[in-house]
Amino acid sequence: MGIIEILAGPAIGAVIGYCTNYIAVKMLFRPLKPVKIGGKTLPFTPGIIPKGKARMAKALGQAVGEHLLTKEDLEQMLLSQEVRDTVVYGVGNGLQSIQDSEDTLEEFLGHYMEKEDYEAMRGSLERFITAKISEGLEKLDVGKIIAEEGTKEVKEKFQGTMVAMFLNDDLIQSIAVPIGNKVGEYIRENGRDKIHPLVVGEIAAAESRPICQWMEKVPLGEDKILKLVDHIYTDFVREKAEELAEKFHIAQIVEDKINEMDVLEVEHLLLGIMKKELNAVVNLGALIGFIIGLLNIWI
């Protein structure tokens, strides 16, 4: 048996193995659309990946959303030194610039809110503060306080005089309690109407003051601002990482993105990731075919 006869079998086996695996790899992606003859779709058309793109998209979405980008991964990413420094220094520098702003409170908020929204917010704030002050006065029971303090004041004023002989507790109470009750009743009925203009005036005065004057009352240096922002940001991420991961809908986003991609884009994407591995599969087919050809000679 000549050398050509010896090598012919392994060579043919290698070619067959190579071609078989090459066709199998190509059938992963091709044909792109169903091939029909006489109204019937040929088997294995379209290719495996075009045919199962929706299932692949769903599986990849679930893998990324449930296993590759978990709450812990998101928290670790957001709290990495690089991201945290970017957020902290960005917000810190913004707050530092606000401290030096000559804009009034009204002008400052006007940069971020529509005029109608600002006026609605101011009205709500005025009503809220008025209501809270009124409720506080009612809970204090000002009428009772006036009766008690009035009684003590009268007794002290007339102590040691002849008038004190006629001012016993019952007499003083009979005068102070009705007065106190009337005052309490007046506060309950008219308190909000009297308090509201004062609140409006105070808020108007606050609006006209520059931001820098407000910040002088709460002096914070750059270091304290950065520490405060860092603390708030870190606590927020740790408490809300799971909720953020859920709201991002990572699995759905990945699934939708893959479904929106053209089949050729998916092919280029997968080949970019698995080109070496797929070529290795094709070459392995040639190697196996060659080995089987050698075994046939020996057998």
Side-chain angles (χ1 to χ4, degrees):
M1 183 181 293
I3 188 68
I4 295 178
E5 288 84 356
I6 294 174
L7 294 179
I12 292 172
V15 171
I16 293 173
Y18 181 90
C19 291
T20 301
N21 281 19
Y22 179 82
I23 292 171
V25 169
K26 283 296 180 182
M27 287 179 66
L28 289 172
F29 304 98
R30 305 300 171 92
L32 300 178
K33 298 180 179 180
V35 178
K36 295 187 177 183
I37 297 179
K40 293 186 177 181
T41 302
L42 292 181
F44 306 110
T45 65
I48 295 172
I49 288 178
K51 188 174 183 179
K53 190 176 79 164
R55 288 187 289 108
M56 181 184 71
K58 190 173 185 64
L60 284 174
Q62 289 178 341
V64 173
E66 297 176 8
H67 303 290
L68 299 183
L69 191 59
T70 62
K71 164 189 173 291
E72 289 76 17
D73 297 323
L74 184 62
E75 181 178 326
Q76 185 177 4
M77 178 182 68
L78 293 176
L79 291 180
S80 65
Q81 194 64 45
E82 184 177 357
V83 173
R84 191 165 64 179
D85 285 348
T86 301
V87 173
V88 170
Y89 282 101
V91 176
N93 290 336
L95 291 175
Q96 190 69 39
S97 66
I98 290 173
Q99 281 190 315
D100 302 326
S101 175
E102 292 293 334
D103 285 349
T104 64
L105 182 61
E106 184 177 6
E107 291 171 340
F108 174 75
L109 293 176
H111 296 319
Y112 306 98
M113 301 177 68
E114 296 292 335
K115 184 177 180 180
E116 295 78 8
D117 295 333
Y118 176 77
E119 290 177 353
M121 182 195 72
R122 181 177 57 192
S124 297
L125 182 62
E126 289 169 355
R127 290 189 294 273
F128 176 79
I129 294 175
T130 299
K132 289 300 178 183
I133 294 175
S134 299
E135 291 172 8
L137 288 175
E138 291 173 10
K139 288 180 180 178
L140 281 175
D141 197 352
V142 175
K144 183 179 179 181
I145 294 174
I146 290 175
E148 292 176 349
E149 294 300 319
T151 300
K152 288 194 293 184
E153 188 68 19
V154 169
K155 291 178 70 175
E156 289 176 2
K157 286 292 183 181
F158 292 98
Q159 188 175 11
T161 67
M162 292 185 63
V163 178
M165 298 173 57
F166 304 98
L167 292 176
N168 56 39
D169 289 344
D170 291 338
L171 179 59
I172 297 173
Q173 287 284 326
S174 67
I175 299 171
V177 170
I179 294 174
N181 290 339
K182 283 293 183 181
V183 172
E185 183 179 343
Y186 181 84
I187 290 174
R188 287 191 295 273
E189 293 179 356
N190 305 286
R192 298 195 182 200
D193 293 336
K194 297 298 182 182
I195 293 169
H196 186 258
L198 299 176
V199 172
V200 171
E202 288 299 319
I203 290 179
E207 288 176 319
S208 62
R209 293 176 62 185
I211 293 292
C212 57
Q213 290 185 14
W214 281 102
M215 298 306 292
E216 287 175 359
K217 296 182 177 296
V218 189
L220 290 175
E222 184 177 355
D223 291 341
K224 288 185 178 180
I225 289 177
L226 294 178
K227 288 179 181 179
L228 178 63
V229 174
D230 183 54
H231 178 71
I232 293 173
Y233 174 72
T234 302
D235 286 349
F236 173 80
V237 170
R238 286 175 177 164
E239 291 177 7
K240 299 295 184 179
E242 186 172 1
E243 185 177 341
L244 287 172
E246 292 175 356
K247 289 186 180 295
F248 281 153
H249 302 296
I250 301 298
Q252 190 63 48
I253 291 173
V254 173
E255 181 179 348
D256 292 342
K257 286 294 182 183
I258 294 176
N259 281 327
E260 290 170 5
M261 293 174 69
D262 184 75
V263 177
L264 285 175
E265 291 182 286
V266 177
E267 179 181 357
H268 292 320
L269 175 65
L270 293 178
L271 286 178
I273 298 172
M274 302 178 60
K275 187 174 182 179
K276 290 184 179 180
E277 289 76 9
L278 293 175
N279 286 336
V281 170
V282 173
N283 294 330
L284 183 61
L287 178 60
I288 293 174
F290 184 82
I291 293 172
I292 292 175
L294 287 177
L295 292 176
N296 284 334
I297 294 174
W298 292 334
I299 294 174

